């Protein structure tokens, strides 16, 4: 069985939904299709939740209007006759349920209930459309099996047991549709896999059913060797190892949710990144296969805060780092990059929710400098540090104010911290230095 996940732009309109149907009809392998909400819908629902908190009735009406318009238009373009009336009725009932949530006292679970409706609406439309096209399919409610517990460490065994129970009821069926993004927490309450989490849904489900492959379909032909938004002439990478893909996703490659590959690594299930709008393009295959070593790709992650912690107590003393790390630990904030000298340590965090509290505690034991709006530029490739070209990355020091460098933490990664205003220049410089040669050979 295969798992195919389609993102928001792939199901963003009637035209693209038709394209998706063509792709899933292309092979007769049994499959589970995991779908996002139509593009823009989750953002609308997040806005709706905010409007509900402050009871901004104008905003609530406006957002309800936009949600209705978007789904009605897709239905108008996809359905004919009585089929159209049936699905309209179902979708209108959902829209009423959404509205009702905004009008009743909000609960802890209201956010998740609201924002996951995008997936509910779209999967209903999609499944009905397939049926109208004569393609038998089963719509599975992800809430019946995505009992992951925690998102950090999803309980694959439990999901597996639950999804098996569902699938066993439909042994003669080969096409299943379900929602990405939604899950249940430890108490069984509705929750989400965080924004962009449908990719993660696909690999959790892939691991749970021990799929042959997981395919993630987006609007770009695989993971590129640099950020195509800022650098010209980037190209898709054909093969990545799980570790390379994980580092790239974690350090900013927008195409993949950072936790995506974790569930499938040990099970050796390949993950394909494919382009809905160019299905013939090879895309990127992420697996355990080792193709070529050395430099593969560069990505950048914004919104980084650098903290320099300086104290003479560090001089020749032990236990100072422990004290510092414990402060971050107490505030549930993870550290990305670290560099040290004899009397100072610089580190970065990307979640600055608890920055104020952390700074207050750190100031008691050290002098601090806090700099926000930085970006980590991450250069990735298996055994990168043995690549004869990799030294050229350090030419960046001659051009831009590099705030920190991390080299040798793993063999597969060099990270550089620069002010975000210099990010694009840094990406372009590194591209010219590191990839121009490879490009000429290709
Ligand atoms: N629809 C959700 C979002 O926009 C989940 C996803 O698309 O992956 O974040
Ligand atoms: Mg995505």
């Amino acid at each position: 069985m295969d798992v195919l996940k389609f993102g928001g732009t792939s199901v963003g309109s009637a035209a693209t939904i038709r394209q998706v149907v063509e792709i899933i009809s292309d092979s007769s392998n049994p499959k589970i299709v995991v779908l996002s909400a139509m593009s823009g819908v989750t953002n609308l629902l997040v806005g709706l939740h905010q409007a509900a908190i402050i009871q901004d009735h104008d905003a609530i009406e406006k957002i309800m209007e936009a949600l209705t318009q978007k789904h009605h238009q897709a239905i108008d373009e996809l359905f004919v006759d009585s089929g159209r009336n049936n699905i309209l009725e179902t979708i209108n009932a959902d829209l009423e349920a959404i509205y009702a949530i905004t009008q009743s006292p909000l609960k802890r679970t209201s956010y998740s209930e609201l924002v996951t409706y995008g997936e509910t609406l779209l999967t209903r439309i999609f499944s009905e459309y397939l049926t109208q096209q004569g393609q038998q399919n089963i719509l599975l409610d992800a809430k019946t099996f995505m009992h992951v517990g925690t998102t950090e460490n999803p309980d694959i065994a439990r999901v597996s047991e639950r999804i098996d129970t569902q699938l066993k009821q439909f042994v003669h069926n080969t096409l299943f549709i379900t929602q990405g993004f939604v899950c249940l927490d430890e108490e069984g309450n509705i929750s989400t896999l965080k924004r962009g989490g449908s990719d993660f849904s696909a690999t959790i489900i892939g691991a749970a059913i021990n799929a042959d492959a997981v395919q993630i379909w987006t609007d770009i032909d695989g993971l590129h060797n640099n950020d195509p938004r800022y650098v010209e002439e980037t190209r898709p990478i054909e093969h990545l190892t799980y570790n390379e893909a994980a580092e790239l996703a974690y350090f900013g490659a927008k195409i993949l949710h950072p936790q995506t590959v974790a569930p499938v690594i040990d099970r050796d299930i390949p993950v394909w990144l494919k382009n809905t709008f160019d299905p013939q393009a090879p895309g990127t295959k992420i697996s355990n296969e080792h193709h070529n070593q050395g430099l593969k790709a560069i990505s950048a992650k914004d919104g980084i805060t650098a903290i320099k912690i300086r104290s003479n107590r560090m001089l020749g003393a032990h236990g100072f780092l422990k004290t510092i790390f414990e402060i971050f630990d107490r505030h549930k904030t993870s550290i990305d990059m670290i560099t040290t000298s004899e009397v100072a340590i610089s580190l970065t965090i990307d979640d600055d929710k608890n920055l104020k509290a952390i700074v207050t505690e750190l100031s008691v034991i050290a002098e601090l400098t806090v700099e926000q709006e930085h970006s980590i530029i991450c250069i990735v490739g298996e055994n990168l540090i043995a690549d004869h070209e990799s030294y050229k990355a350090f030419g960046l020091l001659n051009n831009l104010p590099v705030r920190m460098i991390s080299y040798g933490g793993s063999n597969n990664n060099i990270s550089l911290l620069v002010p975000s205003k210099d990010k694009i220049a840094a990406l372009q410089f590194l591209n010219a230095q590191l990839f121009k040669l490879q490009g000429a050979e290709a």
Side-chain angles (χ1 to χ4, degrees):
M1 208 166 196
D2 291 333
V3 176
L4 281 70
K5 178 257 163 174
F6 293 88
T9 48
S10 299
V11 291
S13 71
T16 61
I17 289 172
R18 288 199 181 93
Q19 172 76 11
V20 170
V21 170
E22 221 164 276
I23 291 169
I24 63 176
S25 314
D26 206 41
S27 87
S28 56
N29 278 6
K31 46 182 88 70
I32 299 183
V33 177
V34 179
L35 299 174
S36 295
M38 294 179 84
S39 53
V41 166
T42 312
N43 285 344
L44 285 173
L45 291 164
V46 170
L48 189 63
H49 179 248
Q50 277 157 0
I53 292 173
I54 54 168
Q55 281 298 301
D56 179 344
H57 296 286
D58 284 351
I60 292 174
E61 297 300 328
K62 266 205 198 103
I63 296 170
M64 286 307 305
E65 180 71 41
L67 285 171
T68 306
Q69 202 268 339
K70 185 143 188 142
H71 292 93
H72 278 192
Q73 186 180 341
I75 291 171
D76 281 342
E77 290 173 29
L78 290 170
F79 291 87
V80 288
D81 306 332
S82 60
R84 183 172 169 280
N85 293 337
N86 287 344
I87 185 71
L88 262 182
E89 224 172 87
T90 313
I91 294 303
N92 286 345
D94 282 335
L95 290 165
E96 270 166 36
I98 294 172
Y99 184 70
I101 297 174
T102 69
Q103 300 305 301
S104 27
L106 293 179
K107 301 173 294 191
R108 196 169 56 83
T109 51
S110 299
Y111 170 82
S112 300
E113 272 172 40
L114 276 175
V115 299
T116 57
Y117 252 110
E119 276 69 14
T120 305
L121 291 164
L122 188 269
T123 48
R124 287 206 215 275
I125 294 174
F126 190 86
S127 167
E128 270 305 304
Y129 177 63
L130 280 175
T131 308
Q132 178 189 267
Q133 299 302 104
Q135 287 211 44
Q136 211 196 350
N137 70 95
I138 302 294
L139 178 58
L140 295 178
D141 181 354
K143 295 193 280 300
T144 60
F145 59 84
M146 282 297 279
H147 199 163
V148 297
T150 66
T151 52
E152 291 76 27
N153 194 9
D155 188 340
I156 306 286
R158 183 163 57 192
V159 174
S160 177
E161 214 174 277
R162 301 203 165 188
I163 198 164
D164 274 354
T165 312
Q166 295 293 316
L167 295 176
K168 270 197 201 117
Q169 299 177 42
F170 307 103
V171 275
H172 299 299
N173 289 275
T174 53
L175 179 55
F176 298 88
I177 313 298
T178 195
Q179 305 83 25
F181 189 40
V182 62
C183 64
L184 301 180
D185 66 13
E186 207 44 80
E187 286 87 49
N189 291 319
I190 185 166
S191 184
T192 76
L193 294 172
K194 316 241 163 74
R195 293 304 307 274
S198 299
D199 297 347
F200 197 23
S201 302
T203 49
I204 291 172
I205 294 170
I209 64 165
N210 203 10
D212 299 319
V214 175
Q215 303 172 13
I216 295 180
W217 292 80
T218 62
D219 51 9
I220 180 167
D221 49 356
L223 228 152
H224 279 227
N225 64 343
N226 204 327
D227 195 323
R229 288 171 301 178
Y230 309 120
V231 177
E232 282 173 25
E233 291 177 30
T234 63
R235 53 196 156 73
I237 309 163
E238 277 191 45
H239 299 276
L240 283 171
T241 62
Y242 293 118
N243 290 337
E244 289 169 336
E247 299 223 32
L248 284 170
Y250 182 71
F251 287 110
K254 282 280 174 296
I255 175 171
L256 206 61
H257 177 280
Q259 278 165 284
T260 304
V261 294
V264 293
I265 296 181
D266 291 339
R267 294 166 178 87
D268 207 1
I269 300 168
V271 177
W272 291 87
L273 306 179
K274 297 277 291 177
N275 187 353
T276 303
F277 307 104
D278 186 6
Q280 301 312 324
T284 299
K285 182 183 183 186
I286 304 167
S287 70
N288 263 334
E289 293 163 28
H290 299 263
H291 284 265
N292 40 7
Q293 301 229 321
L295 180 66
K296 288 261 180 71
I298 303 172
S299 63
K301 183 174 179 176
D302 296 333
I304 303 294
T305 301
I307 307 172
K308 185 183 285 167
I309 303 159
R310 198 179 176 289
S311 167
N312 288 331
R313 277 169 50 189
M314 225 175 130
L315 199 65
H318 61 81
F320 191 71
L321 291 182
K322 177 167 180 270
T323 313
I324 289 175
F325 290 153
E326 275 171 354
I327 293 174
F328 286 85
D329 187 40
R330 269 203 297 284
H331 295 286
K332 296 191 168 49
T333 299
S334 68
I335 296 167
D336 288 332
M337 273 176 88
I338 309 171
T339 57
T340 59
S341 80
E342 188 51 35
V343 290
I345 161 169
S346 270
L347 48 80
T348 70
I349 58 173
D350 73 336
D351 176 0
D352 60 5
K353 242 192 346 268
N354 298 323
L355 180 62
K356 236 173 138 181
I358 292 170
V359 164
T360 309
E361 281 195 44
L362 285 173
S363 317
V364 178
I365 51 167
E367 279 167 44
L368 301 185
T369 320
V370 177
E371 292 166 89
Q372 293 188 286
E373 283 177 51
H374 275 62
S375 299
I376 293 178
I377 312 268
C378 173
I379 306 169
V380 168
E382 219 183 315
N383 210 10
L384 170 68
I385 60 175
D387 189 309
H388 294 307
E389 301 294 323
S390 70
Y391 76 93
K392 291 182 181 164
F394 298 101
L396 196 63
L397 288 169
N398 203 19
N399 283 266
L400 292 169
V402 177
R403 170 74 180 70
M404 279 168 74
I405 295 178
S406 167
Y407 178 87
S410 88
N411 288 348
N412 307 331
N413 164 319
I414 301 171
S415 300
L416 303 141
L417 184 74
V418 298
S420 293
K421 66 174 172 39
D422 297 319
K423 173 186 74 172
I424 296 176
L427 286 172
Q428 289 170 347
F429 173 86
L430 292 171
N431 203 61
Q433 292 297 308
L434 300 173
F435 288 130
K436 230 170 42 202
L437 210 76
Q438 288 190 343
E441 281 165 4

